[in-house]
Amino acid sequence: MRTIELNTGIQIPVIGSGTNTFGKENKAYQGAINGDTTELAAAIKAGYRHFDTAISYRNEAVVGKAIKESGLDRSEFFITSKIPGTSEYTKDAAAVKSAVESSVSALQTETIDLYLIHHPWDNLEEIAAVWAVLETYVDHGIIKAIGVSNFQEKELAYLLDNSRIKPAVNQVESHPGKWNDGIIGYSLAHHVVPEAWGPLSRISDNAKEQLAAIGAHHQKSWSQVVLRYQIERGVVVIPKSHAAEHQAVNLALFDFSLTEEEKDIIKGL
Ligand SMILES: NC(=O)c1ccc[n+]([C@@H]2O[C@H](COP(=O)([O-])OP(=O)(O)OC[C@H]3O[C@@H](n4cnc5c(N)ncnc54)[C@H](OP(=O)(O)O)[C@@H]3O)[C@@H](O)[C@H]2O)c1
């Protein structure tokens, strides 16, 4: 798997699997947790080693269970989780520590590869205070890299200026119709690796047709074209599928490349 080096020296696989509806009743985000590891097991079988979960998804324990059940060594996996940007988890250092420790425990792991602040809030000094607690976990080797999610330029700039360990990643929504090129460009310019959430969501039929037409030149699908586009511009992708066939398709991105003309068309979608 191709990787990008993060600022603490660890490697992030450029493609991971989203998980936000895995292990839940009716494959629904709000569904009750049922502990079902079917999709995670299929993803591991297909070759995924990078998983994106969060305290808010309530399924960290399902991800941890699937990794244990795989029989593979923990060191083969790259696990991302996230602390919610709400006062219950961020109000003081003890709340932040409790969140990190609950993630470590639920994931049945000793270390977490990447831990993100899930959403910013309007008090930038408070965000920096939460960040300072997360930095201590990097110091102790319990978290390997720390980053943010859904941060816009103002919030990311503040943290870049007010942190000892700079954010390694900014995970933001990005797909045709909502590329979020401004914050992705800002992140890249400041050596913060952008990650695209929802990379296959909310794409119009017209955009899918144009992506499929480009894919036809490479014997690839619309989903493969859009994921490849993101990777080629330095954006990590975390597509999610409940279908083993789609999971495999979404990993088969490394035997073709897009022309400059194709990339211009995709950029305009
Ligand atoms: N940081 C944040 O605030 C935030 C917010 C949202 C999401 N996320 C993360 O980002 C991950 C991905 O986003 P997402 O789950 O919203 O959606 P997504 O990956 O953009 O899209 C999922 C949808 O695409 C379909 N799909 C997947 N592969 C396909 C293929 N090859 N061909 C056709 N359809 C395909 C899936 O259907 P099938 O199941 O039928 O394949 C599903 O309906 C989440 O799981 C979560 O980990 C983060």
Side-chain angles (χ1 to χ4, degrees):
M1 170 61 66
R2 192 177 298 178
T3 61
I4 297 175
E5 185 164 306
L6 298 180
N7 59 0
T8 50
I10 63 160
Q11 303 287 326
I12 183 169
V14 295
I15 178 161
S17 172
T19 68
N20 65 1
T21 52
F22 286 174
K24 298 182 182 182
E25 291 295 340
N26 302 319
K27 303 175 183 173
Y29 183 79
Q30 303 287 3
I33 297 292
N34 62 13
D36 183 358
T37 52
T38 306
E39 293 95 347
L40 286 154
I44 294 168
K45 190 171 174 207
Y48 290 85
R49 295 291 180 269
H50 168 187
F51 291 98
D52 179 83
T53 182
I55 288 177
S56 303
Y57 304 167
R58 300 170 288 120
N59 63 3
E60 290 170 302
V62 188
V63 173
K65 182 178 166 207
I67 288 175
K68 282 274 173 199
E69 285 173 355
S70 76
L72 296 170
D73 197 80
R74 166 68 183 88
S75 63
E76 291 206 29
F77 291 92
F78 186 102
I79 307 175
T80 300
S81 195
K82 314 184 192 83
I83 179 172
T86 54
S87 66
E88 179 187 350
Y89 298 94
T90 59
K91 60 179 181 278
D92 54 25
V96 177
K97 286 180 184 170
S98 165
V100 173
E101 279 150 33
S102 77
S103 291
V104 168
S105 163
L107 287 161
Q108 298 188 56
T109 183
E110 290 178 0
T111 61
I112 296 176
D113 299 282
L114 177 63
Y115 210 63
L116 309 180
I117 297 179
H118 205 147
H119 292 93
W121 61 101
D122 51 16
N123 188 325
L124 297 176
E125 285 180 16
E126 280 180 21
I127 292 174
V130 169
W131 188 261
V133 179
L134 297 180
E135 287 175 331
T136 65
Y137 282 92
V138 179
D139 294 339
H140 293 115
I142 293 167
I143 299 177
K144 301 293 182 189
I146 45 179
V148 296
S149 178
N150 301 304
F151 273 43
Q152 294 306 314
E153 186 172 330
K154 180 181 160 203
E155 296 127 1
L156 187 52
Y158 185 86
L159 206 47
L160 284 165
D161 284 346
N162 292 279
S163 55
R164 185 164 55 80
I165 301 171
K166 304 303 167 199
V169 160
N170 187 15
Q171 186 184 111
V172 295
E173 182 176 8
S174 182
H175 49 78
K178 190 170 183 182
W179 287 117
N180 265 325
D181 279 347
I183 186 61
I184 285 181
Y186 182 85
S187 301
L188 282 168
H190 291 82
H191 310 292
V192 179
V193 175
E195 268 187 48
W197 65 254
L200 301 177
S201 295
R202 304 177 190 91
I203 305 179
S204 70
D205 288 343
N206 176 51
K208 281 185 188 171
E209 277 169 29
Q210 293 191 62
L211 292 165
I214 291 170
H217 296 126
H218 304 280
Q219 288 80 51
K220 293 288 171 181
S221 69
W222 67 266
S223 66
Q224 291 169 316
V225 170
V226 73
L227 295 174
R228 174 79 199 185
Y229 172 74
Q230 298 278 26
I231 290 171
E232 285 195 19
R233 66 184 190 142
V235 177
V236 170
V237 287
I238 47 169
K240 174 206 64 191
S241 176
H242 285 265
E245 184 192 323
H246 286 167
Q247 290 176 339
V249 161
N250 296 344
L251 268 188
L253 307 178
F254 301 103
D255 55 356
F256 77 113
S257 56
L258 298 163
T259 65
E260 291 306 318
E261 196 184 0
E262 289 168 338
K263 286 191 268 196
D264 282 345
I265 295 169
I266 297 166
K267 186 178 170 60
L269 292 176

